[in-house]
Amino acid sequence: MMRIFDPHIHMTSRTTDDYARMAAAGVRAIVEPAFWLGQPRTNPGSFADYFDSLIGWEPYRAAKFGIRHHATIALNPKEAGDRRCLPVLDLLPRYLDKDGVVAVGEIGYDSMIPEEDEAFSAQLAMAVEHGLPALVHTPHRDKARGTQRSLDVVKESGIAPGHVAIDHLNEVTVDLVRDSGCWMGFSIYPDTKMSPPRMVEILKTHGLERMLINSAADWGVSDPLLTKETAEAMLAAGYTEDDVDRVLWRNPVEFYSQSGRLDLSDLDDAGARGAEPTFEGSSILRGGG
Amino acid sequence: MTESERLRAALAAEPGHDVRAREWLADALARIVERPETVGRSFAAAGRTVGRAPLADAPDWTADEAARALLLAALPPDRVADEAAALYRYGDANEKRAVLKALPALPVGAAAVPLLHDAIRSNDARLVTAALGPYAGHLDQAMWRQAVLKCVFMDVSLATVDGLAERADAELATMLAALAEERAAAGRSIPDDAVALLTTLTGEKKDA
């Protein structure tokens, strides 16, 4: 069975049915970037509890399905524009030291206002200080200019381009990022962003190097299995199984391994640590204690 | 031999505890004595340096848990309770578990009981289990019973509950019997070790 590493998926918003389907489809490892929840938060404490979940409860839940979960932590671009949330930046260093945190992210722009500049630059500096890669979200509105401006800020920060993934790219923005030396992230969505056939066309044009494919599944209309569907579209287009493995496993492993914290050991034993094997799956499948 | 000496010896006896791990731990411990505020970063990084495998000479402990217990024990006694609370509050699940396991050997009195309450409120069996070690002697009986019942509910082995035989009482037996009855009505059962505990408790009651 093919192995899939989804480098960007918001499992907090997904159900155990999704975990079961993902495991059955070959998803063995995921990275969950800190992002917004649709409903804007209004204070730093709300973020602290969310970050705790990303390094506590969610990896535990994933492990019940044999899936290894890592996270990226940041004040996201959608909420960085709210002054009430800027103190979240003071919370971050503590979380960026954690074992399960493999990058700073999602950072970047939403509306390209000065508050977002401040948070973006400060968090790129934190990535450099903690020796972590950075995951950069690109805005959905005014995307091309937002992507160029993001690359400018990345360059100015001094972080190595190879330590940066610029995400949610499409046919219009891929060239800019490829030329910058940053990794190229593509979110495959049912209706918006990218589709599997369009993704295959991009791979044909731009090659497999530094390419990251994710489902970015969250609380909106999205599908955690579109990574697999893209893999199948690649095979149908004549790519080999090794090509698929490169894009959907080895590339994300290479990118996040730069953190020195990606732990994919004993994947088959996931969930067994510190626990009796007899309760594998039970407390969650039964609805909790 | 103190608990710290025992854990340190068990760590040192590990083949994987190489020069790098030894030096890292010695440096971190020395730094904490001089500047206690450095404990946070060392605590977070412990697993990446000393590893996470169970210790042959202290099988209930993993290497990262033991190293973290040593870091806590190195703090000035008057700061341990506050630092333990902060490390727990901002810890990932493994850090939280290490704090809980280290509590019995730390000079904190009953000050860390709120951490046990937090762990028991969680739905993470690793934390619930770690909350029921020897430090659970500070829990009141009602909370302790609820925690034991939660273990049964989550299928966590009762072998991990410290002092179970001494502390289990008639009220716990009543609660276990009610859970067994509810499960039976649904065509399900309670785990074998809970059945055994219930049998022991109700048997003793008849004898008395």
Side-chain angles (χ1 to χ4, degrees):
Chain A
M1 188 168 74
M2 71 173 70
R3 52 181 184 171
I4 295 173
F5 187 130
D6 193 335
H8 181 152
I9 183 164
H10 302 284
M11 292 312 297
T12 301
S13 304
R14 310 299 305 192
T15 65
T16 48
D17 284 357
D18 286 323
Y19 270 125
R21 290 162 61 230
M22 288 161 65
V27 178
R28 313 283 306 283
I30 54 180
V31 169
E32 175 157 10
F35 203 54
W36 71 321
L37 298 172
Q39 173 70 40
R41 283 164 287 205
T42 58
N43 68 86
S46 187
F47 283 84
D49 291 339
Y50 172 63
F51 296 154
D52 288 339
S53 183
L54 296 186
I55 59 170
W57 175 242
E58 204 55 48
Y60 183 69
R61 218 162 71 99
K64 297 290 185 190
F65 298 87
I67 294 176
R68 186 62 51 84
H69 179 291
H70 292 84
T72 79
I73 296 285
L75 172 59
N76 67 79
K78 298 267 188 189
E79 288 168 301
D82 184 340
R83 284 274 166 205
R84 292 172 299 180
C85 295
L86 281 182
V88 171
L89 296 176
D90 302 328
L91 290 175
L92 295 178
R94 228 168 169 146
Y95 287 98
L96 298 181
D97 276 339
K98 302 301 182 193
D99 282 341
V101 176
V102 291
V104 175
E106 299 177 50
I107 53 177
Y109 287 119
D110 179 52
S111 302
M112 291 188 272
I113 55 177
E115 287 87 348
E116 293 171 16
D117 276 319
E118 191 181 323
F120 192 4
S121 304
Q123 294 184 98
L124 282 169
M126 288 183 204
V128 172
E129 194 201 321
H130 285 81
L132 289 173
L135 179 64
V136 177
H137 164 97
T138 51
H140 303 310
R141 307 174 302 276
D142 206 3
K143 188 182 264 303
R145 278 193 295 177
T147 304
Q148 182 57 58
R149 186 157 155 192
S150 301
L151 288 170
D152 293 343
V153 175
V154 163
K155 192 167 183 188
E156 200 173 299
S157 77
I159 192 171
H163 271 232
V164 178
I166 311 283
D167 214 345
H168 315 313
L169 300 180
N170 57 27
E171 293 85 350
V172 177
T173 50
V174 59
D175 290 291
L176 286 173
V177 179
R178 192 195 50 201
D179 296 344
S180 73
C182 295
W183 290 70
M184 291 157 276
F186 296 87
S187 301
I188 317 300
Y189 260 40
D191 305 317
T192 57
K193 294 182 181 145
M194 289 296 298
S195 66
R198 283 168 55 207
M199 187 66 233
V200 171
E201 289 307 312
I202 285 186
L203 294 174
K204 281 190 197 161
T205 309
H206 298 280
L208 307 184
E209 191 186 343
R210 285 185 280 128
M211 290 289 186
L212 300 170
I213 293 175
N214 61 69
S215 73
D218 59 7
W219 36 260
V221 176
S222 49
D223 181 349
L225 298 190
L226 286 181
T227 46
K228 185 181 171 72
E229 206 172 297
T230 305
E232 284 165 351
M234 282 179 72
L235 292 172
Y239 281 106
T240 66
E241 287 184 8
D242 188 67
D243 292 333
V244 169
D245 190 69
R246 178 175 179 193
V247 175
L248 285 156
W249 186 268
R250 302 198 304 269
N251 277 0
V253 167
E254 185 184 341
F255 177 69
Y256 287 118
S257 287
Q258 299 180 94
S259 67
R261 301 188 201 162
L262 192 72
D263 180 7
L264 300 174
S265 59
D266 311 321
L267 253 183
D268 289 328
D269 301 330
R273 182 175 194 241
E276 295 293 319
T278 50
F279 77 76
E280 181 83 9
S282 62
S283 68
I284 288 164
L285 298 178
R286 281 198 268 128
Chain B
M1 192 185 256
T2 66
E3 180 71 352
S4 286
E5 286 164 353
R6 185 178 80 93
L7 292 177
R8 198 156 190 174
L11 261 180
E14 287 293 311
H17 197 64
D18 56 13
V19 177
R20 179 173 156 266
R22 234 183 358 256
E23 286 179 355
W24 179 86
L25 186 56
D27 287 350
L29 291 168
R31 216 168 25 245
I32 285 169
V33 172
E34 281 185 24
R35 291 189 293 131
E37 66 277 11
T38 61
V39 70
R41 290 201 84 164
S42 299
F43 207 75
R48 303 196 282 277
T49 322
V50 304
R52 304 179 184 99
L55 300 177
D57 292 349
D60 293 342
W61 293 79
T62 59
D64 55 329
E65 288 167 356
R68 285 172 174 147
L70 293 172
L71 296 174
L72 276 166
L75 285 162
D78 62 335
R79 296 212 26 189
V80 178
D82 286 348
E83 290 290 348
L87 290 168
Y88 180 90
R89 167 63 190 87
Y90 288 102
D92 65 19
N94 289 333
E95 291 176 89
K96 282 182 159 70
R97 189 171 152 86
V99 172
L100 295 169
K101 291 181 73 167
L103 289 176
L106 296 177
V108 294
V113 167
L115 307 189
L116 297 198
H117 284 242
D118 182 89
I120 292 164
R121 272 194 298 273
S122 82
N123 198 34
D124 187 330
R126 298 167 301 176
L127 299 183
V128 176
T129 309
L132 288 174
Y135 192 78
H138 290 286
L139 283 179
D140 69 37
Q141 191 67 5
M143 191 70 231
W144 182 83
R145 283 190 211 105
Q146 284 291 340
V148 174
L149 196 65
K150 187 160 178 170
C151 286
V152 175
F153 193 86
M154 297 173 89
D155 283 352
V156 173
S157 165
L158 293 177
T160 61
V161 179
D162 186 72
L164 179 68
E166 298 77 42
R167 200 166 174 183
D169 59 10
E171 177 61 18
L172 180 61
T174 302
M175 293 160 78
L176 285 171
L179 178 62
E181 189 185 348
E182 194 183 331
R183 288 270 176 97
R188 298 168 56 207
S189 58
I190 59 174
D192 290 346
D193 57 357
V195 173
L197 175 63
L198 183 56
T199 307
T200 308
L201 288 172
T202 48
E204 276 173 8
K205 208 167 84 182
K206 276 174 201 151
D207 294 341

